[in-house]
């Protein structure tokens, strides 16, 4: 609990843009920078000649969580991978942060599969970033933080376990911790709670919402309730080529209570939009 | 159970062999029966052990060198694109040259001693290791590479901490093949020109009509081959506890 660090400096206190730019300097130091807003325009991705989406626009407001729902196969993961820089869109697209600095090095990424390395134990998997960057000091800090978070997600007793000995939900929790340990201002998550039972899902949403506060987040999910609890803005993606509808905007801070009438109304509205999207 | 089955098969084959020789009246200089071959182990055990030691040294040195060179080559090709472009054709060409054809050259260059045999063994081991390991290094879950990229992992780190461990099972297949072919290199080298070793002993005894002793040498070679395979397999399993093994 105590190991959980606060949101990136400056995000919640509303530092001026000039202040942030001055702070940044030449070298991009991730934790020293506030979460930027991200803007994608003209995103066009072709698979085997057909457009998955064609000229899509997406805004991720600074320090806010944007949720993305949509039928299976519509292109949510692909859109997330475009924002991550892992999938190159056709020429003509623009993807940029509003602070004018490169996005590379500022994004934590959680893929749809857990991508745990089978030869590393739980703790080593959760601290993979620091291990790969070969920074001993950061590694020690990451271990501290990871151990605390693993405790919080109920894996405190399994730090030395190999991924093969874990259930699907446990593996997903390790992947979640690995993403949060990266401690980056921008976080992209692809169905992070999909493998969990209903109750742990709610618990992990609470945990994640707390740790994601102040960061710029894109959260892909199939669960309208999750979107209604976690999202400041919620898009439904539909069609071929896929487009985004006008976002539902929710004012209250996440995580919102499941019994909150506004959450339930949002869930109902999202289900309606999803049904429409699927029927189309 | 896993041990029992091959033993049973071996016993049945030996019995069949013995029966064929006695019932068929095959002359012993053409095909000695197992019982006579067994007598050679008792009578000429010292001689067999002495020559087996030479061959073992050749095989062991060839394995160490071949695995080290093959492994290093695969890692270097995975790390440096330019090396891959030049190295791959070279590797294929090196493999296209028949080992039998270069054996006399190696003996000419390196002499009748150990060096030419070790070079032969290294040569036949190098390729299965290098190609299997390189394949494994390249065929890594692209999701892991994406993850590493998002974590700003330097290329060397990706190679050593993701590609290398992910390629270990492929490397292990290479080592198993290498353990099986290693004796071939050493024996061919001995046939071409040597003054010791099991291959040399076989040639010498066959020329003198001492077929039973030649067979005994062959048996020792088989035992060495099988022992090498199982030793390699056991070591590799221990090194990769996360890889599931068929029972
Ligand atoms: N590398 C690829 N090559 C070819 N087609 C691809 C590739 N990746 C994705 N696709 C196709 O693009 C479409 C969208 O895939 P994507 O993974 O983005 O969907 P999704 O909305 O995330 O679906 P789900 O909810 O099932 O995860 C699918 O039809 C898929 O077959
Ligand atoms: Mg997806």
């Amino acid at each position: 609990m105590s190991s959980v660090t606060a949101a990136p400096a400056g995000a919640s206190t509303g530092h001026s843009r000039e202040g942030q730019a001055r702070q940044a300097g030449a070298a991009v130091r991730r934790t020293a920078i506030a979460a930027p807003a991200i803007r994608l325009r003209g995103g066009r991705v072709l698979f085997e000649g057909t457009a998955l989406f064609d000229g899509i626009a997406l805004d991720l407001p600074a320090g806010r969580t944007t949720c993305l729902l949509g039928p299976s196969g519509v292109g949510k993961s692909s859109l997330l991978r475009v924002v991550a820089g892992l999938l190159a869109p056709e020429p003509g697209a623009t993807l940029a942060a509003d602070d004018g600095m490169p996005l590379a090095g500022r994004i934590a990424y959680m893929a749809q599969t857990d991508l745990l390395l089978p030869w590393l134990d739980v703790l080593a998997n959760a601290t993979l970033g620091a291990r790969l960057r070969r920074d001993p000091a950061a590694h020690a800090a990451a271990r501290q933080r990871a151990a605390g978070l693993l405790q919080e997600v109920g894996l405190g007793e399994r730090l030395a376990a190999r991924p093969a000995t874990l259930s699907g939900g446990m593996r997903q929790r390790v992947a979640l911790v690995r993403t949060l340990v990266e401690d980056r201002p921008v976080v992209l998550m692809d169905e992070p709670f999909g493998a969990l039972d209903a109750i742990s899902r709610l618990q992990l949403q609470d945990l994640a919402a707390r740790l994601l506060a102040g960061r710029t987040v894109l959260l892909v999910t199939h669960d309208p309730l999750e979107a209604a609890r976690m999202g400041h803005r919620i898009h439904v993606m539909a069609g071929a080529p896929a487009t985004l509808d006008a976002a539902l905007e929710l004012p209250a801070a996440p995580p919102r209570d499941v019994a909150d009438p506004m959450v339930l109304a949002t869930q109902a509205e999202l289900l309606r939009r999803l049904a429409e999207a699927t029927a189309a | 159970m896993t041990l029992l089955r091959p033993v049973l098969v071996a016993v049945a084959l030996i019995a069949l062999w013995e029966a064929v020789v006695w019932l068929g009246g095959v002359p012993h200089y053409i095909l000695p029966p197992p019982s006579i071959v067994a007598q050679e182990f008792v009578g000429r055990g010292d001689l067999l052990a002495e020559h087996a030691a030479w061959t073992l040294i050749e095989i062991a040195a060839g394995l160490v060198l071949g695995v080290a060179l093959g492994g290093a080559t695969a890692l270097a090709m995975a790390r440096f694109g330019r090396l891959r472009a030049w190295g791959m054709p070279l590797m294929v060409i090196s493999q296209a040259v028949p080992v039998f054809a270069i054996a006399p050259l190696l003996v000419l260059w390196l002499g009748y001693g150990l060096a030419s045999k070790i070079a032969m063994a290294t040569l036949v081991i190098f390729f299965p290791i290098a190609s299997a390991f390189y394949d494994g290094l390249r065929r890594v879950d692209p999701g892991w590479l994406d993850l590493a990229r998002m974590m700003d992992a330097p290329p060397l780190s990706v190679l050593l901490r993701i590609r290398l461990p992910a390629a270990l099972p492929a490397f292990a297949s290479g080592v198993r093949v290498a353990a099986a072919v290693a004796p071939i290199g050493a024996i061919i080298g001995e046939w071409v020109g040597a003054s010791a070793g099991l291959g040399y002993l076989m040639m010498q005894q066959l020329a003198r009509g001492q077929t039973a002793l030649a067979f005994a040498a062959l048996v020792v070679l088989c035992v060495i081959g099988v022992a090498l395979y199982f030793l390699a397999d056991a070591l590799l399993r221990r090194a990769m506890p996360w890889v599931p093994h068929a029972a």
Side-chain angles (χ1 to χ4, degrees):
Chain A
M1 299 179 294
S2 55
S3 66
V4 174
T5 62
S12 47
T13 52
H15 273 335
S16 67
R17 287 269 180 271
E18 304 89 274
Q20 290 163 31
R22 223 177 302 122
Q23 241 180 336
V28 176
R29 291 307 310 157
R30 51 195 175 90
T31 43
I33 298 173
I38 295 175
R39 202 175 135 95
L40 171 69
R41 288 292 177 273
R44 182 167 132 92
V45 165
L46 301 177
F47 282 131
E48 281 134 23
T50 55
L52 187 58
F53 36 81
D54 196 347
I56 212 164
L58 175 69
D59 280 295
L60 306 180
R64 301 274 176 233
T65 296
T66 305
C67 288
L68 191 56
L69 287 143
S72 190
V74 75
K76 303 181 297 295
S77 297
S78 303
L79 183 55
L80 181 131
R81 290 169 54 78
V82 166
V83 177
L86 294 171
L87 177 59
E90 299 294 310
T94 56
L95 172 70
D98 68 340
D99 56 10
M101 299 211 294
L103 276 169
R106 293 198 281 172
I107 301 179
Y109 167 69
M110 181 172 175
Q112 198 167 347
T113 50
D114 57 64
L115 298 178
L116 298 184
L117 299 177
W119 55 87
L120 294 182
D121 66 19
V122 164
L123 186 59
N125 262 294
T127 54
L128 182 67
R131 294 172 78 84
L132 289 178
R133 290 185 293 269
R134 295 168 175 276
D135 180 346
H139 191 194
R143 281 177 74 90
Q144 280 274 319
R145 189 168 151 79
L149 284 174
L150 287 165
Q151 183 79 41
E152 279 200 78
V153 301
L155 291 173
E157 310 293 309
R158 306 299 294 271
L159 298 190
R162 274 212 192 82
T165 66
L166 302 180
S167 75
M170 291 173 173
R171 294 170 61 103
Q172 197 167 41
R173 279 179 265 167
V174 179
L176 176 70
V177 171
R178 183 184 62 202
T179 312
L180 296 173
V181 165
E182 283 293 275
D183 191 20
R184 298 210 166 168
V186 181
V187 181
L188 309 178
M189 305 170 110
D190 202 342
E191 296 182 34
F193 312 110
L196 301 172
D197 64 86
I199 298 306
S200 8
R201 184 181 296 195
L202 293 179
Q203 288 168 349
L204 286 195
Q205 284 167 357
D206 291 342
L207 173 85
R210 199 172 79 232
L211 295 175
L212 293 174
R215 298 173 206 265
T216 304
V217 179
L218 177 60
L219 176 75
V220 170
T221 176
H222 276 301
D223 180 359
L225 177 61
E226 182 167 298
R229 293 195 72 211
M230 304 282 288
H232 294 98
R233 284 163 65 86
I234 308 172
H235 283 291
V236 172
M237 191 175 185
T243 52
L244 296 180
D245 63 356
L248 267 181
E249 310 240 6
L250 302 181
R256 306 181 189 100
D257 196 278
V258 271
D260 182 339
M262 196 225 16
V263 167
L264 295 175
T266 305
Q267 186 188 9
E269 169 62 13
L270 289 172
L271 280 170
R272 198 189 57 73
R273 292 192 185 190
L274 280 169
E276 220 167 64
T278 313
Chain B
M1 199 54 218
T2 41
L3 259 179
L4 194 61
R5 221 170 309 159
V7 167
L8 279 178
V9 171
V11 167
L13 283 176
I14 289 169
L16 182 71
W17 172 6
E18 184 89 30
V20 165
V21 174
W22 293 113
L23 298 175
V26 184
H28 291 181
Y29 69 89
I30 299 279
L31 181 65
S35 53
I36 304 232
V37 174
Q39 283 169 27
E40 298 288 349
F41 280 101
V42 183
R44 315 287 286 276
D46 293 355
L47 188 68
L48 282 169
E50 192 190 314
H51 288 281
W54 278 101
T55 304
L56 252 181
I57 291 173
E58 294 161 7
I59 294 176
L63 263 176
V64 170
L65 277 174
V67 170
L69 289 175
T73 304
L75 278 172
M77 287 203 312
R79 176 68 182 80
F80 303 106
R82 204 164 301 163
L83 204 64
R84 177 177 338 154
W86 291 96
M88 210 59 200
L90 261 179
M91 245 170 72
V92 173
I93 291 169
S94 84
Q95 204 51 24
V97 179
V99 187
F100 277 99
I102 32 178
L105 286 175
L106 286 175
V107 172
L108 177 70
W109 295 334
L110 300 173
Y112 283 80
L114 278 176
S116 57
K117 284 79 196 172
I118 293 174
M120 285 292 295
T122 305
L123 213 62
V124 296
I125 290 160
F126 172 81
F127 188 76
I129 296 282
S131 69
F133 191 30
Y134 179 62
D135 244 30
L137 289 170
R138 300 200 62 190
R139 279 197 211 139
V140 168
D141 183 342
W144 290 339
L145 302 180
D146 286 348
L147 187 65
R149 196 172 139 196
M150 298 311 292
M151 290 172 161
D152 309 322
L156 188 63
S157 211
V158 176
L159 179 67
L160 296 181
R161 304 198 165 191
I162 294 185
R163 286 187 190 271
L164 175 76
L168 281 181
F171 174 74
S173 324
V175 171
R176 288 192 193 95
V177 172
V181 299
I184 300 176
I187 296 301
I188 292 175
E190 290 178 5
W191 284 353
V192 172
S195 49
L198 290 171
Y200 162 78
L201 184 66
M202 278 184 72
M203 291 296 258
Q204 189 195 42
Q205 299 305 317
L206 281 173
R208 292 183 189 164
Q210 302 280 323
T211 317
L213 188 53
F215 262 87
L218 193 61
V219 171
V220 175
L221 259 181
C222 287
V223 171
I224 289 177
V226 171
L228 265 181
Y229 180 91
F230 282 106
L231 184 70
D233 193 57
L235 286 178
L236 292 168
R237 278 174 192 235
R238 186 161 301 186
M240 288 174 276
W242 68 90
V243 177
H245 296 289

